[in-house]
Amino acid sequence: MADKPEFAWRITLKRRLIVAVSALAIWSAAIEARLVYLQVGQHAELTARAERQQLRTVETTARRGDILDRSGRVLAYSVEADSIYAVPTEISDPDAAAAALCTALTDCGPGERQTLTERFTRDRAFAYVRRQVSPDDARRVAALDLEGVGFMKENRRLYPNRELAAQILGYVGIDNTGLRGIEAAYNKVVSGRPGAVLIQTDARRRAFSRVERPPTTGATLELTIDEYLQHIAERELRAGIEENVAAGGTAVVMDPRTGEIMALASWPTFNPNEYRDASPEAQRNRATQDIYEPGSTFKIVTAAAALEEKVVEPDDPIDVSAGQIRFGRRVIHDDHRSDILSFTDVIVHSSNVGAIKVGLDVGPERLGQYVTRFGFGARSSRDFPGESGGIVWDSSKLNDSALASVSMGYQVGVTPMQMAAAVSAIANGGELLRPRVVGAVIADGVRTPTERTVVRRVVSRRTAAVVTGIMEQV
């Protein structure tokens, strides 16, 4: 009887031991299963997450290539500038750090101080304080010797001639990206390849390593612009605008044999070094973005079409109806009263009635073809971002009154650049050339010129010569 309690105690102990061992085995199996799941099933995801938490890559901008005029004079270049950054995880007192920085930085108001405080409060390994600061600002911030605040080199674009050729050159944003003009059109060519800064942090997100990969410099652009001619064009354009109390204007100097733009001026203008202060009106390239009714200058298209299609010869008489022609209630007059003029004199004296009668003989379909062949209604070049194609009516919808308007340069919208290219086609013997402002690209010491591009032959050499002779008499 005395052994029975001892036997029951042993059975209870054995059961408890089995339960404990079973629980331990299950616990160990669960841990092992979890480890297998984390180290095998989620290995890639956890490794990537760790890298994101421990590594921070900041892209550094490359040095943009220079922009030169046709003689190698510098129109745009880049200089190194200090950008200030912070590692928020190393800043113990964000508000004090922001206040100190604001005392050193120029024009740092309460709004910027609040923004800096918010940036420094976030749990991150990198934040910009201010980019491309002046040497004085950089020197004052460096003197503070703040923990978690550092410097990195970036490139800042400078335009030494200020307003000269501003609409052609355009400008570059804070991220070293071309935003307007040639800077935008050739951004991939000029911008180079960016570098990188790799920042490594520990488990507490404190930076302990910084590795830099230097950027590469972009290609240099050699423009067809001549700095001296550009200066003259801008000076004379401004004088003409002031004399005539005009709202704005443009001037284009184009080599008709090559399509090279020697000068291109627009007014009002702006300083690309301070582009943020410039109005959209001043930034607009009027030569390629403004459209207007060309009026009598467009008569070269009517004249070339008539001569090419053999509708008229230079000495053929044209009855200009005493300088008046009627379309229903609409009456069109000449400035000078005449009865009979030769076709040459119709153009020389800019007779609207004579041009209309010739245009009616050419007809809407054929005249419309020549309007298109001369390049109107289409963009002329990749060198001019934002270029307008102009406005050209469908020839099938032109009645006699509308055709009369087109024949003397109305009811059609063109850009000054299109008009310069069309006149150049007559001057060079009948070839429409693609206007260009980039003469060559220089990369790795190799100069690659841009080719003279013939869009199409517009008229024969004979027709171009006859129209040129007539225009010389104007």
Side-chain angles (χ1 to χ4, degrees), residues 90-227:
E90 294 184 0
I91 297 176
S92 57
D93 190 341
D95 189 61
L101 286 168
C102 261
T103 61
L105 293 172
T106 304
D107 298 327
C108 183
E112 185 173 359
R113 174 178 171 176
Q114 180 62 31
T115 299
L116 290 176
T117 301
E118 292 172 359
R119 288 179 187 173
F120 298 163
T121 305
R122 296 171 187 165
D123 187 21
R124 55 195 300 184
F126 183 90
Y128 278 115
V129 175
R130 188 183 282 186
R131 302 178 67 177
Q132 299 180 10
V133 298
S134 67
D136 288 340
D137 279 0
R139 188 164 46 253
R140 286 193 294 269
V141 170
L144 296 175
D145 195 22
L146 294 174
E147 185 178 1
V149 176
F151 297 85
M152 61 191 301
K153 293 294 183 181
E154 290 192 298
N155 286 286
R156 181 180 179 184
R157 202 61 159 171
L158 291 178
Y159 303 90
N161 297 309
R162 296 171 60 85
E163 291 84 2
L164 188 82
Q167 289 84 3
I168 300 173
L169 297 173
Y171 50 80
V172 174
I174 192 71
D175 291 315
N176 210 37
T177 300
L179 300 179
R180 210 172 184 93
I182 285 297
E183 297 276 27
Y186 286 81
N187 184 65
K188 290 184 179 180
V189 177
V190 182
S191 60
R193 189 177 65 191
V197 177
L198 178 66
I199 300 174
Q200 293 180 292
T201 59
D202 60 17
R204 295 184 179 180
R205 310 199 76 178
R206 292 176 298 190
F208 65 87
S209 175
R210 184 174 183 269
V211 181
E212 291 191 41
R213 185 191 72 202
T216 58
T217 303
T220 293
L221 294 183
E222 181 184 290
L223 303 189
T224 61
I225 296 296
D226 181 273
E227 183 183 279

Side-chain angles (χ1 to χ4, degrees), residues 132-387:
Q132 299 180 10
V133 298
S134 67
D136 288 340
D137 279 0
R139 188 164 46 253
R140 286 193 294 269
V141 170
L144 296 175
D145 195 22
L146 294 174
E147 185 178 1
V149 176
F151 297 85
M152 61 191 301
K153 293 294 183 181
E154 290 192 298
N155 286 286
R156 181 180 179 184
R157 202 61 159 171
L158 291 178
Y159 303 90
N161 297 309
R162 296 171 60 85
E163 291 84 2
L164 188 82
Q167 289 84 3
I168 300 173
L169 297 173
Y171 50 80
V172 174
I174 192 71
D175 291 315
N176 210 37
T177 300
L179 300 179
R180 210 172 184 93
I182 285 297
E183 297 276 27
Y186 286 81
N187 184 65
K188 290 184 179 180
V189 177
V190 182
S191 60
R193 189 177 65 191
V197 177
L198 178 66
I199 300 174
Q200 293 180 292
T201 59
D202 60 17
R204 295 184 179 180
R205 310 199 76 178
R206 292 176 298 190
F208 65 87
S209 175
R210 184 174 183 269
V211 181
E212 291 191 41
R213 185 191 72 202
T216 58
T217 303
T220 293
L221 294 183
E222 181 184 290
L223 303 189
T224 61
I225 296 296
D226 181 273
E227 183 183 279
Y228 180 63
L229 289 179
Q230 180 70 27
H231 169 71
I232 293 174
E234 293 184 4
R235 181 190 67 194
E236 297 305 314
L237 173 65
R238 181 172 182 178
I241 288 172
E242 290 176 351
E243 181 180 345
N244 293 279
V245 197
T250 185
V252 181
V253 181
M254 179 176 175
D255 186 337
R257 300 162 299 177
T258 64
E260 294 179 344
I261 304 301
M262 309 287 287
L264 190 156
S266 289
W267 185 267
T269 188
F270 71 105
N271 181 355
N273 294 301
E274 301 169 357
Y275 68 89
R276 294 181 185 86
D277 299 330
S279 67
E281 183 79 3
Q283 295 180 26
R284 194 167 74 245
N285 186 339
R286 292 174 176 269
T288 61
Q289 294 179 288
D290 282 11
I291 60 174
Y292 70 107
E293 288 182 311
S296 292
T297 57
F298 197 76
K299 289 174 184 173
I300 62 165
V301 178
T302 305
L307 290 167
E308 187 75 5
E309 294 297 321
K310 297 180 171 52
V311 170
V312 70
E313 291 296 328
D315 295 328
D316 285 354
I318 307 294
D319 181 3
V320 294
S321 306
Q324 179 176 300
I325 191 170
R326 180 183 296 273
F327 296 93
R329 295 183 178 180
R330 183 188 182 196
V331 180
I332 300 173
H333 299 275
D334 280 342
D335 288 337
H336 304 285
R337 180 185 177 92
S338 303
D339 292 317
I340 302 294
L341 292 174
S342 68
F343 174 69
T344 296
D345 283 339
V346 164
I347 304 302
V348 170
H349 298 293
S350 192
S351 168
N352 290 332
V353 175
I356 289 169
K357 288 197 171 184
V358 172
L360 292 173
D361 289 340
V362 174
E365 184 177 348
R366 287 191 293 184
L367 186 57
Q369 289 174 354
Y370 280 89
V371 170
T372 300
R373 286 168 67 174
F374 270 95
F376 299 107
R379 295 177 181 175
S380 64
S381 173
R382 66 158 286 191
D383 289 358
F384 307 106
E387 181 184 8

